[in-house]
């Protein structure tokens, strides 16, 4: 049964080849000072920095530089961004990069004018923003997180080893996001495939949940089929525009809150992966791929009809002559084969996890109740060990 819900998403998207020109349409809506947020320098190598700064200058903006956003952005970087935003009293936060830059921009947006420690208020206590919020715009260069069209902001506290991602709600959705698939051509294969698995994981967290038959399930099945097809094409040819554009659009729809409507959601794989990242600083999508198969093999008996449907509809497993369990397991085996094609991490050891870290990672993984079975703390450790 489709549950009750409100659906609203305020982010304006500009999608396609040459979409950056839309920045000239958007910029006049904001005051003169733009905090230009970017990462470790990829946008300087691939020319996107020059294109963005040219448009900022043409529209008369004062550029306040905020480089060095690391993958898995930290609390220290968040505090630095807040100091920059306050010191210059900026009018717009423009993130140019992947999910880390977009998440960080949303974090600075709500935190810059917060009168207490924003980590405690917004990330630990998860209060809704009640101070001035600076508007955010995104120019996306990496595909996967969906951060371009949601209000999530994942920040890591390296001292407490906690990586958390509250959703700030309407105030912190990007006002606009610019999505040019060509901007993703320069992604290293490791990042591209990590992003592809991140998309799959976002869908599975919302699809392998209840046993209802919702429109959202059919949308997700279409998204997964497109994702699998386009991932193979993008690996064969990283300059395949059709594949890159399908991946980009699929990522956005996987996590802009549409497909969760009417459903319960799981997110346990993400809780495990986030805790792994907090201990190792590993790439987000790879932390998810490393724990997914042990987690889903454990869930399978508790959600058998849905795992069987997943196998048949998404992986085209033929059911004839097989038990339901055999069909469902064949679906997970097909997913594993696809993961090997992508070359994503299948073991936590590959990401630097050691036996000594396991219990700490397990302590850091919040146990959620939306999946087919609520894990015990013991099972969390067991899944992590099986993932090694
Ligand atoms: O630092 P730069 O130079 O930008 O290089 C980045 C970074 O090293 C590089 N890159 C990005 N675009 C590129 C490029 N290199 C060459 N060419 C390009 N066009 O890729 C590396 C990874 O970038 P990052 O932004 O960290 O990746 P991603 O988009 O996967 O974001 C990961 C962060 O998002 C969070 C993750 O936990 C992680 O902190 N998430 C955010 C979510 C949300 N807001 O809803 C949900 C997700 O589940 C996720 O948790
Ligand atoms: Zn994710």
């Amino acid at each position: 049964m489709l549950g009750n819900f409100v659906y609203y998403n305020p982010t304006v998207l500009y999608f396609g080849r040459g979409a950056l020109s839309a920045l000239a349409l958007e910029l006049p809506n904001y005051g003169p000072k733009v905090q230009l947020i970017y990462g470790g320098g990829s946008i300087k190598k691939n020319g996107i920095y020059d294109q963005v700064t040219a448009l900022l200058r043409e529209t008369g903006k004062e550029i306040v530089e905020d480089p060095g956003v690391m993958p898995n952005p930290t609390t220290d970087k968040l505090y630095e961004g807040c100091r920059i935003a306050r010191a210059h009293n900026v009018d717009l936060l423009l993130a140019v990069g992947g999910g880390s830059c977009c998440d960080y921009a949303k974090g600075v947006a709500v935190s810059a004018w917060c009168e207490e420690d924003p980590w405690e208020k917004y990330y630990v206590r998860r209060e809704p923003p009640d101070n001035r919020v600076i508007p955010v715009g995104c120019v996306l260069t990496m595909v996967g997180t969906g951060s371009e069209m949601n209000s999530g902001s994942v920040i890591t506290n390296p001292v407490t080893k906690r990586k958390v991602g509250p959703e700030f709600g309407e105030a912190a959705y990007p006002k606009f996001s610019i999505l040019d698939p060509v901007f993703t051509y320069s992604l290293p294969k490791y990042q591209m495939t990590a992003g592809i698995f991140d998309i799959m994981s976002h869908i599975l967290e919302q699809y392998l949940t209840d046993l209802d038959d919702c429109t959202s399930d059919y949308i997700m099945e279409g998204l997964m089929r497109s994702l699998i097809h386009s991932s193979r094409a993008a690996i064969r040819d990283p300059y395949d525009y059709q594949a890159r554009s399908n991946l980009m659009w699929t990522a956005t729809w996987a996590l802009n809150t549409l497909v969760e409507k009417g459903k319960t959601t799981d997110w346990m794989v993400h809780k495990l992966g986030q805790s792994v990242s907090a201990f190792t600083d590993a790439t987000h999508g790879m932390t998810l791929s490393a724990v997914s198969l042990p987690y889903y093999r454990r869930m399978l008996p508790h959600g058998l009809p849905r795992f069987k449907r997943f196998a048949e509809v998404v992986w085209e497993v033929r059911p004839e002559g097989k038990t339901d369990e055999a069909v469902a397991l064949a679906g997970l085996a097909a997913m594993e084969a696809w993961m090997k094609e992508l070359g994503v991490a299948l073991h936590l050891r590959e990401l630097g996890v050691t036996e000594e870290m396991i219990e700490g990672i397990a302590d850091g993984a919040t146990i959620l109740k939306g999946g087919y079975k609520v894990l015990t703390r013991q099972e969390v450790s067991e899944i992590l060990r099986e993932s090694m």
Side-chain angles (χ1 to χ4, degrees):
M1 187 184 68
L2 196 61
N4 296 12
F5 60 83
V6 173
Y7 181 64
Y8 172 68
N9 191 313
T11 304
V12 178
L13 293 182
Y14 297 93
F15 189 96
R17 211 187 278 274
L20 187 65
S21 59
L23 196 54
L25 301 176
E26 284 288 342
L27 288 174
N29 298 327
Y30 304 93
K33 293 185 185 173
V34 178
Q35 186 162 332
L36 181 59
I37 290 167
Y38 55 99
S42 65
I43 64 164
K44 290 200 169 162
K45 289 198 198 106
N46 58 25
I48 298 171
Y49 177 87
D50 290 340
Q51 294 178 53
V52 169
T53 50
L55 282 164
L56 286 166
R57 279 194 296 272
E58 278 166 28
T59 42
K61 299 298 178 189
E62 179 186 326
I63 301 171
V64 177
E65 288 268 338
D66 184 5
V69 179
M70 61 292 284
N72 306 320
T74 62
T75 36
D76 278 350
K77 181 62 189 160
L78 176 71
Y79 298 143
E80 183 187 83
C82 292
R83 284 194 296 273
I84 296 171
R86 279 178 84 123
H88 295 268
N89 192 10
V90 300
D91 301 296
L92 175 69
L93 300 163
L94 184 63
V96 186
S100 294
C101 288
C102 301
D103 280 13
Y104 165 83
K106 287 179 253 178
V108 173
V110 301
S111 302
W113 295 100
C114 177
E115 294 302 337
E116 56 178 300
D117 180 358
W119 168 257
E120 288 296 328
K121 181 179 170 77
Y122 290 132
Y123 292 86
V124 177
R125 299 202 304 274
R126 291 174 174 254
E127 291 177 20
D130 58 3
N131 46 259
R132 176 181 159 194
V133 178
I134 306 169
V136 170
C138 300
V139 177
L140 198 65
T141 66
M142 154 97 193
V143 164
T145 64
S147 185
E148 64 275 12
M149 203 182 186
N150 68 42
S151 67
S153 167
V154 183
I155 297 290
T156 300
N157 185 327
V159 177
T160 60
K161 294 208 184 315
R162 289 292 179 272
K163 180 179 186 188
V164 293
E167 286 168 36
F168 296 133
E170 188 180 344
Y173 274 83
K175 299 291 177 211
F176 63 89
S177 284
I178 293 175
L179 279 62
D180 183 341
V182 173
F183 285 2
T184 67
Y185 285 176
S186 57
L187 271 171
K189 186 180 176 219
Y190 190 84
Q191 294 299 338
M192 178 179 81
T193 54
I196 288 168
F197 194 81
D198 193 20
I199 304 169
M200 177 58 93
S201 182
H202 294 159
I203 300 172
L204 293 180
E205 300 274 25
Q206 302 167 91
Y207 178 77
L208 293 176
T209 53
D210 43 40
L211 297 174
D212 289 347
D213 181 42
C214 297
T215 297
S216 297
D217 294 318
Y218 294 85
I219 298 171
M220 286 190 271
E221 285 161 353
L223 291 175
M224 286 188 276
R225 289 171 65 94
S226 169
L227 175 68
I228 295 160
H229 176 78
S230 302
S231 67
R232 289 180 169 137
I235 285 172
R236 271 195 306 275
D237 175 9
Y239 302 102
D240 180 333
Y241 181 81
Q242 182 159 300
R244 291 295 197 154
S245 55
N246 285 335
L247 291 174
M248 200 169 214
W249 196 218
T250 302
T252 304
W253 284 100
L255 202 54
N256 70 358
T257 78
L258 175 84
V259 298
E260 71 178 21
K261 294 304 174 225
K263 295 198 50 88
T264 50
T265 56
D266 185 350
W267 297 110
M268 202 56 227
V269 165
H270 269 68
K271 291 295 163 192
L272 296 169
Q274 284 178 354
S275 193
V276 169
S277 273
F279 277 74
T280 60
D281 200 26
T283 298
H284 173 62
M286 298 302 183
T287 65
L288 307 175
S289 60
V291 300
S292 283
L293 290 165
Y295 177 74
Y296 287 125
R297 290 203 169 109
R298 207 171 261 254
M299 289 300 116
L300 185 144
H302 305 280
L304 186 56
R306 175 50 58 95
F307 279 86
K308 178 172 181 272
R309 174 170 162 171
F310 175 56
E312 289 186 59
V313 179
V314 177
W315 298 104
E316 299 176 0
V317 173
R318 301 295 303 265
E320 294 83 3
K322 299 190 186 87
T323 63
D324 288 358
E325 191 188 12
V327 175
L329 283 169
L332 290 185
M335 183 162 90
E336 182 172 8
W338 172 69
M339 291 163 77
K340 286 180 177 159
E341 276 177 57
L342 294 181
V344 292
L346 291 171
H347 303 284
L348 287 174
R349 247 180 243 292
E350 297 168 48
L351 306 176
V353 176
T354 60
E355 291 288 341
E356 295 68 48
M357 290 180 189
I358 297 269
E359 293 308 318
I361 293 172
D363 285 338
T366 311
I367 296 174
L368 299 175
K369 297 193 170 71
Y372 290 117
K373 179 186 184 308
V374 181
L375 295 179
T376 62
R377 168 65 178 69
Q378 173 67 21
E379 285 174 312
V380 172
S381 296
E382 287 169 10
I383 290 168
L384 291 169
R385 283 184 208 288
E386 287 163 17
S387 305
M388 286 295 279

